[in-house]
Amino acid sequence: MNKTNKGFLGFIKRCFSYKNNIFILILSLFVSLGTALGIGVINYNQEKNSYYYGDYPDNYSFCWNVDCKKSDLVESTFYGLDYTKVYTEKDDITITNLSGYFPKTHFRIYGVSENFYHYPLQSVDCDTNIRFSNLEKGTSFTKADIIQNNLSFMMYTSQAHLFSTKSSSLTITIKGQNFKLIGTLKDTADIDRTINNDDINIHIFVPYSTLNYLFGLSRCYYSINNQGHTLKTTKDNVPYLANGMYNDYSYFKNSTSKLSLLFYEIDGLLIFLSFISVLIVGILNIKNRSNEIGVRRAVGATKDDISFMFLSEGTFLIGISVILSFVLDVAIFGIMSTILSQYHFIYVFFFDWKSTVLALSIYYLAAIIGVLIPALIGSRTNISSILVEEH
Amino acid sequence: MSTKIIQLKNISKSFGPKKVLENLSLEVDSGEMVAILGRSGSGKTTLINILALFDSRYTGDYFLFDQKINRKKDYSDLRNKRIGFVFQSYYLINSLNVRENILLPYQYESSKDEVDLKYLNYLTQKLNITDLLNGPVNCLSGGEKQRVAIARALIHKPDLLICDEPTGNLDEETAKEVMNILISFKDEKHSILIVTHDRRVAAFCNRCLFLKDRKLNTYEQNK
């Protein structure tokens, strides 16, 4: 048998033989888990904001009121739609059929909603008359907004029919114009509130998270059925969002931004504190193991051997903690999502692996520096004062 | 013909204004067992640190195995291959078992030699620690620990064994046992240098030197 404790098993054994190493592992696990969870909360806040910016909310406002095939969307020329037909969304009609109704009327359709019910088709090209409510601005989307941002919305049934998956962030082409699908509306959704705006009824569709934030869960609920997700308001009257909505939005935006900033700061602080802690524990480790350093140097270890020994131990232990915290992070977010979905939260906590990996990488680098410094100090320990006792 | 293992020429060492060693000279031949005695504070620790290549801040010339020691160079390889150390406090590593402690020098050898199992068996049998090989070191008695430390020092068949109070923490009976083990290795042409203040230990050596007034003097056993 050639047991010199030189192999990987010997290394593992050595890593777990010292209390300080175990402490570094546990400390690192807590800090990296905290960092990863913090990043999750930051993402959660950004996600809430993104409902306003229209990045990819699932439960959003405007929709295509027609069911059609993907090939229709990509290849066919869209013709004018009969607004009465458009609104009868339960009708199983296709674009092709529709185009047959008005073959001589050419319109470019960027988005269709109930608005069309209230506005005659002939004014489709008139920007001022196509008013899609814009929650971010507190006003309305204009056609220009939609074209400029290349945004579109799709009916849930259309989406399911065309893509059979979550369509958010997909791009569809209509008459050479690319549209980024930023959300869908469930066919059974009735979260819209009719508000009075210049004596014209405009339906606006409010993201669930916004309702939740502004009015609390008592005013609305979220349920899941076999057909998918259903958004509903309670029977209580939800105050009109138009009244002071902008102020509410500003307050909401500011508070979530501040919360995100706070968690960034907490994450930064955690990483800094962990760097300091790992540094202090590392130095204590060096002090506690000074005899070992001395005897290893006496039997032939170089300074580099000693610094490599401490660095490899630290790198390994912190690496384990980072991997463990990543796994725990995924599990915690999964459990939280499952639990919270029963209490009408869904998509609130989600796991963003890219941000988490980035945060953990930053933490890992900081911790490695925290390990490297004691390792270098250890390699420069004066062994003459350790091994040979005064007598 | 014996060869010089150690040659110190006019070695001086100061700690601030205090001179500890002054123009000290020493020669140790191969196969020789030399004891260095001295009172507390006489400079024994300083001398052993220089001899063991732990301390390079001195003046004078030091030749080890006919090689002039360059004070700026790291002699880890020399310590690994040709020098063995036995310390008063054993300095065994608790996270390693007895076998791993004995084989510790193999971790740092550059030539990647295979462990000489035959010699390991011979050593452990001679030191009577064969049954302890797979056990932890923190359960051993003082005498057993020192025997393990001696095995670790000798595993690479060093030309020079430097012992710093090897019996300092042992009772009289065990100390005698350890000294007999060391003498048996001297017979095998290892040079042994023992720093001690125990005259009974010095009595086992074939030459005794007394460190006094920053210099080494020949010590008569009957004094």
Side-chain angles (χ1 to χ4, degrees), chain B residues 173-210:
Chain B
E173 196 62 31
T174 316
K176 203 173 171 183
E177 203 177 292
V178 165
M179 284 312 297
N180 283 327
I181 290 168
L182 290 176
I183 286 168
S184 69
F185 283 103
K186 186 207 78 172
D187 293 343
E188 292 175 19
K189 304 296 178 192
H190 292 98
S191 296
I192 302 177
L193 190 73
I194 299 178
V195 175
T196 183
H197 55 236
D198 188 339
R199 292 177 188 184
R200 285 168 299 180
V201 170
F204 284 89
C205 301
N206 47 12
R207 188 153 65 102
C208 293
L209 300 167
F210 195 79

Side-chain angles (χ1 to χ4, degrees), chain A residues 26-73:
Chain A
I26 294 169
L27 172 87
S28 179
L29 182 63
F30 274 105
V31 174
S32 52
L33 187 60
T35 307
L37 289 173
I39 282 293
V41 177
I42 291 167
N43 280 324
Y44 160 57
N45 281 292
Q46 288 177 341
E47 174 71 354
K48 281 204 293 192
N49 276 328
S50 77
Y51 276 81
Y52 287 101
Y53 296 120
D55 284 334
Y56 49 86
D58 243 356
N59 315 306
Y60 213 79
S61 48
F62 305 107
C63 61
W64 292 88
N65 287 39
V66 287
D67 289 331
C68 54
K69 297 172 186 170
K70 190 176 182 181
S71 57
D72 294 330
L73 289 170

Side-chain angles (χ1 to χ4, degrees), chain A residues 293-348:
Chain A
I293 294 171
V295 82
R296 283 179 187 274
R297 292 276 285 129
V299 299
T302 61
K303 287 179 180 178
D304 288 346
D305 288 329
I306 298 297
S307 48
F308 180 75
M309 179 177 82
F310 285 104
L311 189 61
S312 58
E313 284 176 20
T315 308
F316 177 73
L317 291 168
I318 293 165
I320 285 182
S321 71
V322 164
I323 292 167
L324 269 177
S325 67
F326 186 84
V327 173
L328 282 173
D329 200 40
V330 173
I332 288 171
F333 273 102
I335 291 166
M336 281 171 79
S337 293
T338 308
I339 293 171
L340 291 176
S341 66
Q342 294 168 16
Y343 296 95
H344 317 305
F345 285 100
I346 198 162
Y347 299 134
V348 170

Side-chain angles (χ1 to χ4, degrees), chain A residues 2-11 13-14 18 289 292 295-297 299-302 305-306 308-309 312-313, chain B residues 76-77 80-81 93 95-97 99-115 152 155-156:
Chain A
N2 184 356
K3 286 190 176 177
T4 59
N5 200 257
K6 206 174 180 178
F8 185 65
L9 282 178
F11 169 71
K13 187 183 160 196
R14 198 178 70 220
Y18 298 96
R289 290 169 68 181
E292 184 185 335
V295 82
R296 283 179 187 274
R297 292 276 285 129
V299 299
T302 61
D305 288 329
I306 298 297
F308 180 75
M309 179 177 82
S312 58
E313 284 176 20
Chain B
S76 302
D77 202 42
N80 179 253
K81 290 266 191 248
I93 299 173
S95 63
L96 307 178
N97 64 23
R99 176 195 296 273
E100 289 161 349
N101 266 285
I102 294 171
L103 297 179
L104 189 65
Y106 274 97
Q107 276 196 30
Y108 299 107
E109 65 167 18
S110 50
S111 57
K112 310 282 179 202
D113 284 345
E114 281 294 304
V115 174
R152 180 182 64 194
I155 192 69
H156 263 163

